[in-house]
Amino acid sequence: MNLNESAPGILPCQAIETLIAGGAISAATPFEPIQIQPASLDLRLGTRAWRVRASFLPGHRTVAERLADVIMHPIELTEAGVVLEKGCVYIAELQERLALPPGVQARANPKSSTGRVDVFVRLLTDRSRAFDDVADGYDGPLYMEITPQTFSVLVRPGTRLNQLRLKVGDPPKLEVRDVGVDLTGEIAGFRGRRHAGVVDLDKVDGHDPRDFWEPLMPRGGELLLDPGEFYILVSKQPTEIPVDQAAEMLPIDPSVGEFRVHYAGFFDPGFGVDEAHGKGSRSVLEVRSHEAPFLLEDGQTVARLVYEPMTERPARLYGEGGSHYQRQGLKLSKHFRAWPDRG
């Protein structure tokens, strides 16, 4: 695949595999097939992390050089797992490393399961002046800033918290759609419990949701967001991502309210596309209010979804071979068992 001849767009899984085979993306341990998504690459924690006293951007320095100013203590990640405590800031080495060819840049975002447990993660690269964006032709290591906010979490080497989307050029914005919130169900959402236990981020269906979440039953189609609280809600409209496009939900738009929506903003080609059912999938919304209480009403616009072209159709689409979130409605992260029926 000649990337220089590609029209601007997001690279599909087969192009990611080509970059890996050519050494543009390498790793400390062999890549796992599950890492390569239709339009992104899951990144894995390495064995070293540091508790730091403040977030930072490296600017004209490397991340390692800047770390020396803020380290509180080092942490060795082991297979037994290490607890990262809520309210603390950590920097972790990732197993993957980049040597991108000219014309290829990248952007990172938390995985859906990471955002749904209110773990705020951002990618750091050497000499960068912005989080999550990887410069054209970047050659160097990758690091992650990790800040658990509602729950303390257990992680290990290999835990996948964020994903990298690679692109050629500056893809055009094909469409921008408003996303409204649904507050009509008997249970219309969940609010995180502040004094819950630890969430093991590698344990699927391993936690009782009642220990971590409080169900929300809005009256009259309204919900009051309290400052500093974390909510799981769901979109009013179903979402479908065409097989030759990808999408990103804007994490915050002050014009629709003083709150942040959706930490995990990537939607892969084929999300919500189900020829057998044809109903699409609704978007789960990770919502945190800011300084002031904010009253939401049913159907209110809370975010915007931006569509971009792929350079070519992915060889695999979202949901093929199974997915925790295809055809979803209101749904907690994969770490939790289904909410028990009241009957």
Side-chain angles (χ1 to χ4, degrees), residues 153 219 308 325 336:
V153 296
R219 294 183 179 181
E308 296 179 319
Y325 305 128
F336 301 99

Side-chain angles (χ1 to χ4, degrees), residues 160-181:
R160 295 175 289 130
L161 299 180
N162 68 346
Q163 53 197 166
L164 193 70
R165 182 166 283 180
L166 297 111
K167 61 183 180 179
V168 175
D170 185 15
K173 306 297 186 284
L174 300 176
E175 185 178 4
V176 179
R177 292 185 184 178
D178 287 350
V179 178
V181 64

Side-chain angles (χ1 to χ4, degrees), residues 81-103:
V82 172
V83 173
L84 305 183
E85 296 186 16
K86 67 178 181 179
C88 298
V89 182
Y90 302 87
I91 303 295
E93 272 186 337
L94 298 181
Q95 294 192 32
E96 287 70 35
R97 182 184 178 94
L98 300 179
L100 297 179

Side-chain angles (χ1 to χ4, degrees), residues 24-328:
I25 308 174
S26 57
T29 61
F31 285 95
E32 304 169 54
I34 197 172
Q35 286 182 253
I36 304 175
Q37 305 299 326
S40 61
L41 174 71
D42 289 354
L43 303 176
R44 300 169 295 174
L45 293 181
T47 58
R48 295 196 301 171
W50 300 267
R51 167 78 166 91
V52 296
R53 58 187 175 85
S55 175
F56 65 88
L57 281 167
H60 64 279
R61 291 186 276 179
T62 68
V63 173
E65 289 168 344
R66 196 72 175 94
L67 262 173
D69 298 331
V70 294
I71 286 177
M72 296 177 69
H73 61 83
I75 299 168
E76 181 182 357
L77 302 186
T78 67
E79 293 300 328
V82 172
V83 173
L84 305 183
E85 296 186 16
K86 67 178 181 179
C88 298
V89 182
Y90 302 87
I91 303 295
E93 272 186 337
L94 298 181
Q95 294 192 32
E96 287 70 35
R97 182 184 178 94
L98 300 179
L100 297 179
V104 177
Q105 54 188 297
R107 178 172 173 81
N109 223 306
K111 289 178 60 63
S112 294
S113 298
T114 306
R116 292 190 202 190
V117 290
D118 200 20
V119 177
F120 187 53
V121 304
R122 300 189 287 193
L123 189 73
L124 281 168
T125 54
D126 287 344
R127 300 178 176 84
S128 60
R129 298 185 181 274
F131 293 106
D132 289 330
D133 289 329
V134 183
D136 184 322
Y138 175 75
D139 187 346
L142 300 175
Y143 299 83
M144 186 193 301
E145 176 188 304
I146 308 170
T147 309
Q149 298 191 89
T150 296
F151 312 118
S152 297
V153 296
L154 189 72
V155 300
R156 304 168 179 81
T159 298
R160 295 175 289 130
L161 299 180
N162 68 346
Q163 53 197 166
L164 193 70
R165 182 166 283 180
L166 297 111
K167 61 183 180 179
V168 175
D170 185 15
K173 306 297 186 284
L174 300 176
E175 185 178 4
V176 179
R177 292 185 184 178
D178 287 350
V179 178
V181 64
D182 187 352
L183 299 177
T184 61
E186 181 181 3
I187 296 179
F190 299 94
R191 177 168 51 206
R193 297 187 183 276
R194 281 190 171 272
H195 304 289
V198 175
V199 178
D200 186 336
L201 295 184
D202 294 310
K203 196 172 185 181
V204 177
D205 295 328
H207 306 76
D208 188 329
R210 295 169 295 185
D211 296 334
F212 295 85
W213 299 97
E214 174 188 356
L216 301 174
M217 303 167 190
R219 294 183 179 181
E222 293 184 338
L223 175 66
L224 182 65
L225 302 178
D226 289 321
E229 299 290 342
F230 180 69
Y231 300 85
I232 295 292
L233 304 174
V234 69
S235 69
K236 193 80 171 175
Q237 310 91 341
T239 298
E240 292 189 23
I241 310 300
V243 298
D244 58 351
Q245 297 178 25
E248 182 174 3
M249 188 174 287
L250 301 180
I252 186 169
D253 187 340
S255 70
V256 300
E258 290 301 319
F259 50 85
R260 180 186 174 105
V261 173
H262 221 272
Y263 292 86
F266 287 165
F267 289 77
D268 274 331
F271 177 87
V273 176
D274 189 332
E275 295 178 356
H277 298 83
K279 297 180 180 179
S281 295
R282 292 200 284 170
S283 303
V284 168
L285 308 170
E286 301 129 14
V287 179
R288 176 177 289 278
S289 186
H290 291 323
E291 299 300 325
F294 191 88
L295 187 63
L296 278 181
E297 63 178 356
D298 180 58
Q300 182 172 345
T301 297
V302 294
R304 295 197 166 101
L305 197 60
V306 178
Y307 290 73
E308 296 179 319
M310 302 292 297
T311 57
E312 60 179 318
R313 176 177 170 146
R316 300 182 299 279
L317 298 176
Y318 184 87
E320 291 184 355
S323 168
H324 290 280
Y325 305 128
Q326 187 74 300
R327 298 192 300 275
Q328 70 183 353

